[in-house]
Amino acid sequence: MDPQPFHDHDHHLCSDAVMSQAEAMLTASGARLTPVRRRVLEILLEQHRAMGAYDVLQRLAAEGFGNQPPVAYRALDFLVEQGLAHRIQRLNAFTACMHPGEAHAPAFLICQGCNTVAEAPAAPVRAALESAAADLGFTVERASVEALGLCPACREAS
Amino acid sequence: MDPQPFHDHDHHLCSDAVMSQAEAMLTASGARLTPVRRRVLEILLEQHRAMGAYDVLQRLAAEGFGNQPPVAYRALDFLVEQGLAHRIQRLNAFTACMHPGEAHAPAFLICQGCNTVAEAPAAPVRAALESAAADLGFTVERASVEALGLCPACREAS
DNA sequence: TCTATGTATGTAATATCATAACACGTCAAG
DNA sequence: CTTGACGTGTTATGATATTACATACATAGA
Ligand SMILES: [Zn+2]
Ligand SMILES: [Zn+2]
Ligand SMILES: [Zn+2]
Ligand SMILES: [Zn+2]
């Protein structure tokens, strides 16, 4: 679960670990990981990518769940609220959180070559941002930090 | 033009300065500030806010310009390309650049109380981000840093 | 057990944001 | 004058997201 999305790795180690952690978190908090929600999380966990709500919806519909947008959006919103998924503003898309439970305000690294999305630890970034904001008297409540660029493999290949 | 969007100020000093600078930049670069484009910039400059493309479009239509989405999007895209406007991902909206010409990769501070949008100098933020990315072998090409929170006035009022 | 309540899901309809494709007008270079 | 680049206008469509309402389902009192 602390892998390099950008490098070859046994991805089941990622997804299995996150699923277990998700179950534990939700059991603890009392929130319910219903079939739709679980399935959406599994779908997001299949790859280190961001998926649009309609892509998720299509998968759900093919598996016998509802096929109207709210079905996908509700599950996705739930996961985001529970800290199990993140919304990538830049892509109008969602990605599974790879470090659920850990307090984290990540920066997202979006590879323009292979569409991989990685969470980078961003404590220093947040600190710098809050400092810059404080200079203007502004109090940061939530922030999104998203970088487009090239992962090591795609940089190599280009 | 180096005002505090969050504080009372003579806003004409902002907009006039930016307009002059925009004209100078475009004259120099050879790009054309046509009536639609100029008007869109003026509209964006009316307030320290972000406006949706369709809001801009409505204004344009009321003034006799075309009333179809591409009219607004083309002008907005032009301004963004020329560095005269920024897109705020979080809001699906656009805001005039308050520091055109200056090389800058700003962080945006979005007040949830009054919807004011300010550009904060973000060189340290970018540096921290690039460093965090480099740790994963990732090369940043473009990044968006957007913070939601409260400006001084709204924080006071709450 | 039997409701009552809150929560989750399903669906229809609609709102909001964005782009593709094509037609027309203008203007300057050749 | 013709050509070609560019800007604008318009139609049509695509992509993303939410509102509103109906239905199912769990579970906690009575
Ligand atoms: Zn993985
Ligand atoms: Zn995360
Ligand atoms: Zn101002
Ligand atoms: Zn700017």
Side-chain angles (χ1 to χ4, degrees):
Chain A
M1 201 186 74
D2 192 15
Q4 295 297 46
F6 293 137
H7 297 89
D8 281 345
H9 64 285
D10 183 351
H11 186 59
H12 286 295
L13 297 181
C14 297
S15 45
D16 292 355
V18 170
M19 274 308 303
S20 315
Q21 193 130 4
E23 281 163 12
M25 282 174 61
L26 293 187
T27 300
S29 83
R32 295 169 49 202
L33 190 59
T34 61
V36 204
R37 292 168 175 176
R38 163 182 289 272
R39 195 68 195 104
V40 169
L41 182 53
E42 289 170 354
I43 289 169
L44 290 183
L45 279 171
E46 286 173 3
Q47 357 158 29
H48 291 284
R49 300 270 194 89
M51 293 184 75
Y54 280 74
D55 295 328
V56 171
L57 178 58
Q58 202 170 324
R59 294 284 305 273
L60 290 176
E63 298 176 17
F65 295 99
N67 68 347
Q68 298 300 316
V71 174
Y73 280 104
R74 285 196 285 234
L76 288 165
D77 290 347
F78 170 84
L79 294 174
V80 169
E81 270 161 29
Q82 300 297 319
L84 297 173
H86 297 291
R87 177 170 203 137
I88 310 296
Q89 306 287 342
R90 194 114 197 166
L91 304 177
N92 291 324
F94 301 82
T95 191
C97 176
M98 289 297 148
H99 307 86
E102 303 175 28
H104 68 290
F108 296 100
L109 308 180
I110 305 163
C111 178
Q112 293 177 300
C114 60
N115 296 310
T116 294
V117 174
E119 293 181 39
V125 180
R126 302 284 164 160
L129 175 56
E130 287 183 15
S131 159
D135 290 348
L136 300 181
F138 187 91
T139 310
V140 176
E141 188 175 290
R142 251 159 341 114
S144 50
V145 178
E146 299 173 359
L148 292 180
L150 288 178
C151 76
C154 292
R155 175 158 183 66
E156 197 68 18
S158 67
Chain B
M1 202 185 73
D2 194 15
Q4 295 298 43
F6 294 138
H7 297 90
D8 280 344
H9 63 284
D10 183 351
H11 185 60
H12 286 295
L13 297 182
C14 298
S15 45
D16 291 355
V18 170
M19 274 308 302
S20 316
Q21 193 130 3
E23 282 163 11
M25 282 175 60
L26 294 187
T27 300
S29 82
R32 293 170 50 201
L33 191 59
T34 61
V36 203
R37 293 168 175 175
R38 163 182 288 271
R39 194 68 195 106
V40 169
L41 182 53
E42 288 169 354
I43 289 169
L44 290 181
L45 279 171
E46 286 173 4
Q47 357 158 30
H48 291 284
R49 300 270 195 89
M51 292 185 76
Y54 280 73
D55 296 327
V56 172
L57 178 58
Q58 203 170 324
R59 294 284 305 273
L60 291 177
E63 298 176 19
F65 294 99
N67 67 348
Q68 297 303 315
V71 174
Y73 280 104
R74 286 196 285 234
L76 288 165
D77 290 347
F78 170 84
L79 294 173
V80 169
E81 270 161 29
Q82 300 296 319
L84 297 173
H86 297 290
R87 175 170 203 136
I88 310 296
Q89 306 287 342
R90 192 116 200 167
L91 304 176
N92 292 325
F94 301 81
T95 192
C97 176
M98 288 297 148
H99 306 86
E102 302 175 28
H104 69 290
F108 296 100
L109 308 180
I110 306 162
C111 179
Q112 294 177 300
C114 59
N115 295 311
T116 294
V117 173
E119 294 181 41
V125 180
R126 302 284 165 161
L129 175 56
E130 287 183 15
S131 159
D135 291 347
L136 300 179
F138 188 91
T139 310
V140 176
E141 188 176 289
R142 254 165 331 122
S144 50
V145 178
E146 299 173 0
L148 292 181
L150 289 179
C151 77
C154 291
R155 175 158 183 67
E156 198 68 17
S158 69

